[in-house]
Amino acid sequence: MKEILVLAEHRQGQWRDITFEMLSKARQLAESFGSEVHAVVLGKGVANSTEALRPMAHRVLLVEDERLEAFNSETYQTVLAQLITERKPLLTLIGHSTLGMDLAPNLAVQLKMPLATDCIGVDGKDGSFVLTRQIYGGKINSTVLFNKPGPYLVTLRAGAFPVLQKDSLQGDIISLPSPLTDGNLAKRFLGYVEAALGDVDITQADILVSVGRGIKGPENLPLVKEFAEAIGGTLSCSRPVVDKKWLPKSCQVGTSGKTVKPKVYIAVGISGAFQHIAGMKGAETVIAINRDPKAPIFGVAHYGIVGDLFKIIPVLKEKAKELRQK
Ligand SMILES: Cc1cc2nc3c(=O)[nH]c(=O)nc-3n(C[C@H](O)[C@H](O)[C@H](O)COP(=O)(O)OP(=O)(O)OC[C@H]3O[C@@H](n4cnc5c(N)ncnc54)[C@H](O)[C@@H]3O)c2cc1C
């Protein structure tokens, strides 16, 4: 039975969401191909953390080595190249994260594997994979088929795939020997640089209040920030707000920012350009506040308020505070 390998992404044993998104997708694919999902964990001292992956994988393949303690695309590439060469999986999934962007192209070249990057859809049809990728900055979705035999390598966009909540595979953890030797590495891990104080990971937020050019100037940001705080939300924004340096790049939603899928996304003074919508259309509930009833954001909003944000936000903020006090 051919397997689907998923490179579990973690930072010192802390799983990234993309890991569970990939495992969920792999599980669906495995059903249609009659194959199994095998999570690949590379690291050092991460055996205990792998428990969290067992419900979602038929097996967890664990390679531990001190040289894998921190991500280095060269060491990861060596281990994965050996695994793929030996096991000939149907498909290998890697997150389209900074890790995946560094690793996947080199690996594909080394093994001469067909590679599709930054996919927002992967399905099985007539025994082949049908992939969806965005082109022209997210304006058009293209369907991609591999025209060579596998094994295939695919990187998935973070936030583009839902996580299956219930699964009970309880796959065994299989420890595999590390193929690494003390060869010279061109790259060396120096240390993690944490995000600047105040930077938040908007991809993890359940409630996002996103502000656009309609806010007019940075002096008005506290209004929306206070509203976000009153409802337990996090502030994010559209690109012009970043371009004008009113908020940091880490807050930007969209094709050249982050893909988010909160439970609630409140777009305040955002028109809804396709580059923005591509980054937030996975939100469970979208609420738009815009004074232009024809703004495209209303096309993806579940609820809309047409009006002046400077009148609406203070009212909503007070209401939220009242409700909290009850
Ligand atoms: C290659 C490329 C990549 C891009 N990547 C991204 C990206 O990642 N993310 C992104 O967001 N954009 C991105 N853009 C830019 C995108 O095309 C739009 O220009 C941008 O999203 C518009 O931002 P906005 O909605 O905040 O501003 P605008 O389009 O100017 O919209 C402002 C909105 O505020 C409303 N408004 C104004 N005043 C008020 C008020 N008082 N009350 C209520 N509503 C009001 C207006 O009606 C309007 O709809 C990209 C563009 C390119 C070319």
Side-chain angles (χ1 to χ4, degrees):
M1 178 180 288
K2 286 219 161 178
E3 61 196 329
I4 296 178
L5 293 183
V6 174
L7 177 64
E9 190 171 325
H10 66 94
R11 184 177 304 172
Q12 288 150 333
Q14 298 280 318
W15 301 111
R16 315 301 274 183
D17 285 354
I18 182 69
T19 298
F20 299 103
E21 292 162 14
M22 288 191 292
L23 286 170
S24 298
K25 186 69 226 179
R27 181 85 169 100
Q28 282 175 353
L29 292 170
E31 265 171 33
S32 61
F33 283 89
S35 61
E36 287 195 344
V37 178
H38 294 173
V40 177
V41 179
L42 312 186
K44 170 76 186 149
V46 291
N48 288 341
S49 318
T50 54
E51 279 298 321
L53 307 182
R54 292 183 59 213
M56 300 181 80
H58 295 88
R59 280 184 191 179
V60 179
L61 309 178
L62 174 64
V63 182
E64 291 213 89
D65 187 310
E66 61 187 15
R67 286 158 289 202
L68 295 168
E69 190 164 7
F71 170 72
N72 179 328
S73 61
E74 288 179 70
T75 52
Y76 265 53
Q77 186 180 333
T78 305
V79 180
L80 279 176
Q82 167 147 333
L83 278 178
I84 293 170
T85 307
E86 280 175 0
R87 303 176 79 91
K88 301 193 173 35
L90 199 57
L91 173 72
T92 300
L93 294 179
I94 296 178
H96 193 75
S97 54
T98 45
L99 177 153
M101 284 187 256
D102 193 359
L103 171 67
N106 287 323
L107 183 60
V109 169
Q110 182 186 343
L111 298 182
K112 298 189 173 58
M113 289 169 83
L115 164 70
T117 56
D118 198 15
C119 294
I120 58 165
V122 187
D123 292 295
K125 196 175 173 206
D126 304 329
S128 307
F129 292 105
V130 180
L131 309 143
T132 308
R133 298 183 73 239
Q134 292 190 324
I135 53 174
Y136 300 119
K139 201 163 195 173
I140 294 176
N141 283 353
S142 65
T143 301
V144 177
L145 303 174
F146 290 120
N147 62 2
K148 286 187 177 162
Y152 303 110
L153 189 55
V154 169
T155 67
L156 299 190
R157 182 180 294 186
F161 297 88
V163 174
L164 294 179
Q165 293 303 339
K166 288 181 197 147
D167 219 337
S168 53
L169 293 175
Q170 287 306 115
D172 288 336
I173 300 173
I174 317 268
S175 280
L176 299 174
S178 165
L180 295 175
T181 54
D182 273 327
N184 275 343
L185 295 175
K187 291 182 194 167
R188 202 155 48 90
F189 173 76
L190 296 181
Y192 286 114
V193 179
E194 291 300 339
L197 207 62
D199 267 9
V200 283
D201 186 356
I202 59 170
T203 64
Q204 304 298 311
D206 278 344
I207 303 176
L208 280 177
V209 179
S210 215
V211 66
R213 189 154 31 199
I215 194 68
K216 308 274 190 283
E219 67 283 3
N220 297 320
L221 279 176
L223 174 71
V224 185
K225 190 163 194 294
E226 284 162 21
F227 167 56
E229 282 163 4
I231 59 169
T234 301
L235 196 63
S236 56
C237 64
S238 65
R239 179 161 157 173
V241 174
V242 172
D243 289 346
K244 289 173 189 286
K245 303 202 178 354
W246 297 345
L247 283 174
K249 177 82 178 163
S250 56
C251 292
Q252 185 189 321
V253 173
T255 49
S256 56
K258 291 189 176 155
T259 302
V260 295
K261 46 173 189 173
K263 292 199 170 80
V264 181
Y265 188 85
I266 307 179
V268 182
I270 291 179
S271 59
F274 68 88
Q275 293 98 338
H276 187 82
I277 287 175
M280 47 62 77
K281 64 183 177 203
E284 279 176 35
T285 303
V286 177
I287 302 167
I289 302 171
N290 197 305
R291 67 179 179 191
D292 175 7
K294 292 195 177 133
I297 191 74
F298 289 124
V300 291
H302 301 92
Y303 302 95
I305 305 175
V306 179
D308 185 348
L309 72 91
F310 295 103
K311 292 189 180 140
I312 295 164
I313 295 293
V315 176
L316 293 179
K317 188 179 85 181
E318 286 315 309
K319 191 76 195 162
K321 279 186 178 167
E322 258 174 58
L323 289 172
R324 277 188 134 184
Q325 279 157 10
K326 276 188 187 163

